[in-house]
C-alpha cells in the first residue's frame, strides 16, 4: 500500500470518528464538544475536553449548529487566585452574618438606654466593691504600721538595735501597702476601660435603635413580609 493510500485511509478514519460522534450525539440528543489543542489537533468529544481547558471550545448541537463557545478555562494560577478570592468573600459573608447576629443579641439585651445604663452601673459597682476592699486593706495595714512604729520608739536612738522580726514586719507592711496601691491604680484603669466599652457599645446601640424605629419602606417591606411567612 502506497503512502497516499495510508493518508487517504487516515482521513477516512478520522471522518468516520467525527460522523460516529455526531451520530451518537443525535441519538442521545446531547452535545458535541470540539476544539484545536495546543499541538494543532482538532479534538471532538461528548463532554468538555480536558486538553483544551486553556483555550476556547465549541459546543455543537446534534445538527452540528454551534450552541455556545466555552472558555478558555482558568489556568492553575488563576484558579488558585480565584479560590483565594472566593475564600475571602466567604469569610466576609460569615463575618457579616456573625455581626448581624451579634447586633440582634445586643438589641435584645439592651432594648433601650435605661437597660444599658443599669448594666453599666452594675459593672462599675463591681469595680468599686473591689476598690473598696483594697482601700480597707490599706487602712488595716496603716493601723498595723502605727503599732510597729510605736515599738520602734524604743530604738529611736539606734534603729539597728531593733529586733530583726520587727524590722521584717515593717518591710512586709510597706511592701503590702505598695502592692495594694498598685492594685488600686489598676482598678482605676479598669473603671476607665468599663466606661469606654459601654460608651462604644452605646454608640452602636443608638444606630441600631434608630434603625429599628425607622419606618419600613416599600422595598424593605417585601423581604420582611416574606420572612414572616
Amino acid at each position: 500500500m502506497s503512502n497516499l493510500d495510508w493518508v487517504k485511509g487516515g482521513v477516512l478514519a478520522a471522518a468516520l470518528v467525527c460522523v460516529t460522534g455526531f451520530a451518537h450525539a443525535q441519538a442521545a440528543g446531547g452535545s458535541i464538544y470540539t476544539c484545536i489543542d495546543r499541538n494543532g489537533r482538532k479534538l471532538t468529544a461528548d463532554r468538555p475536553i480536558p486538553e483544551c481547558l486553556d483555550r476556547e471550545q465549541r459546543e455543537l448541537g446534534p445538527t452540528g449548529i454551534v450552541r455556545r463557545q466555552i472558555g478558555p478555562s482558568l489556568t492553575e494560577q488563576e484558579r488558585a487566585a480565584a479560590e483565594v478570592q472566593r475564600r475571602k468573600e466567604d469569610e466576609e459573608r460569615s463575618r457579616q452574618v456573625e455581626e448581624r447576629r451579634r447586633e440582634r443579641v445586643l438589641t435584645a439585651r439592651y432594648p433601650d438606654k435605661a437597660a444599658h445604663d443599669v448594666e453599666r452601673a452594675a459593672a462599675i459597682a463591681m469595680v468599686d466593691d473591689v476598690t473598696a476592699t483594697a482601700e480597707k486593706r490599706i487602712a488595716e495595714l496603716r493601723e498595723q504600721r502605727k503599732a510597729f512604729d510605736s515599738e520602734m520608739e524604743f530604738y529611736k536612738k539606734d534603729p539597728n538595735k531593733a529586733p530583726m522580726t520587727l524590722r521584717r514586719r515593717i518591710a512586709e507592711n510597706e511592701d503590702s501597702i505598695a502592692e495594694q496601691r498598685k492594685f488600686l491604680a489598676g482598678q482605676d484603669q479598669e473603671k476607665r476601660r468599663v466606661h469606654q466599652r459601654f460608651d462604644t457599645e452605646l454608640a452602636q446601640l443608638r444606630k441600631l435603635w434608630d434603625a429599628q424605629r425607622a419606618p419600613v419602606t416599600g422595598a424593605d417591606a417585601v423581604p420582611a413580609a416574606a420572612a414572616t411567612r
Side-chain angles (χ1 to χ4, degrees):
M1 183 180 292
S2 66
N3 290 337
L4 181 58
D5 292 334
W6 278 107
V7 172
K8 289 180 179 179
V11 171
L12 289 173
L16 180 60
V17 169
C18 292
V19 170
T20 303
F22 278 109
H24 284 306
Q26 288 175 340
S31 298
I32 286 293
Y33 296 85
T34 180
C35 68
I36 305 297
D37 70 4
R38 68 184 61 188
N39 296 319
R41 297 178 303 170
K42 183 175 182 179
L43 304 179
T44 303
D46 61 353
R47 65 197 64 190
I49 303 170
E51 292 86 345
C52 291
L53 290 178
D54 61 341
R55 59 199 60 243
E56 184 180 275
Q57 302 186 45
R58 290 188 300 165
E59 180 185 357
L60 309 180
T63 61
I65 297 175
V66 177
R67 285 180 170 176
R68 60 172 176 154
Q69 293 182 338
I70 306 173
S73 300
L74 298 177
T75 64
E76 183 176 350
Q77 184 176 1
E78 289 170 335
R79 286 196 297 271
E83 177 64 16
V84 171
Q85 181 62 27
R86 184 190 64 79
R87 289 179 182 176
K88 287 182 179 179
E89 292 173 354
D90 289 344
E91 290 172 359
E92 177 61 19
R93 281 192 293 269
S94 298
R95 186 196 66 77
Q96 291 179 1
V97 169
E98 176 60 22
E99 179 65 18
R100 299 292 85 77
R101 185 200 66 80
R102 197 186 76 82
E103 289 174 353
R104 290 194 296 271
V105 171
L106 198 60
T107 53
R109 184 174 182 178
Y110 306 116
D112 50 38
K113 186 175 181 297
H116 194 254
D117 288 343
V118 167
E119 189 147 335
R120 182 199 292 259
I124 293 298
M126 290 180 62
V127 179
D128 289 340
D129 288 344
V130 174
T131 299
T133 300
E135 290 174 342
K136 181 180 179 181
R137 177 57 181 160
I138 289 177
E140 292 172 351
L141 290 169
R142 285 174 176 168
E143 288 298 320
Q144 188 182 70
R145 179 58 186 268
K146 289 180 181 180
F148 294 153
D149 289 342
S150 295
E151 291 185 47
M152 285 295 296
E153 285 292 327
F154 295 104
Y155 310 99
K156 187 176 181 179
K157 292 182 179 180
D158 191 358
N160 291 328
K161 292 183 179 181
M164 182 60 66
T165 54
L166 177 59
R167 284 185 282 173
R168 184 171 61 251
R169 288 175 182 174
I170 291 175
E172 291 174 350
N173 179 275
E174 291 176 348
D175 290 342
S176 296
I177 290 176
E179 183 178 349
Q180 291 298 319
R181 285 175 175 166
K182 183 179 179 180
F183 179 76
L184 285 175
Q187 290 304 107
D188 287 339
Q189 293 179 358
E190 176 62 17
K191 184 180 288 190
R192 286 193 291 271
R193 281 194 294 267
V194 169
H195 278 302
Q196 184 178 12
R197 176 171 68 84
F198 275 90
D199 287 342
T200 302
E201 205 171 58
L202 181 59
Q204 182 182 12
L205 279 166
R206 290 185 190 278
K207 295 179 181 179
L208 296 175
W209 292 330
D210 289 343
Q212 288 178 340
R213 289 191 293 266
V216 179
T217 63
D220 296 331
V222 174
T228 59
R229 289 201 296 268

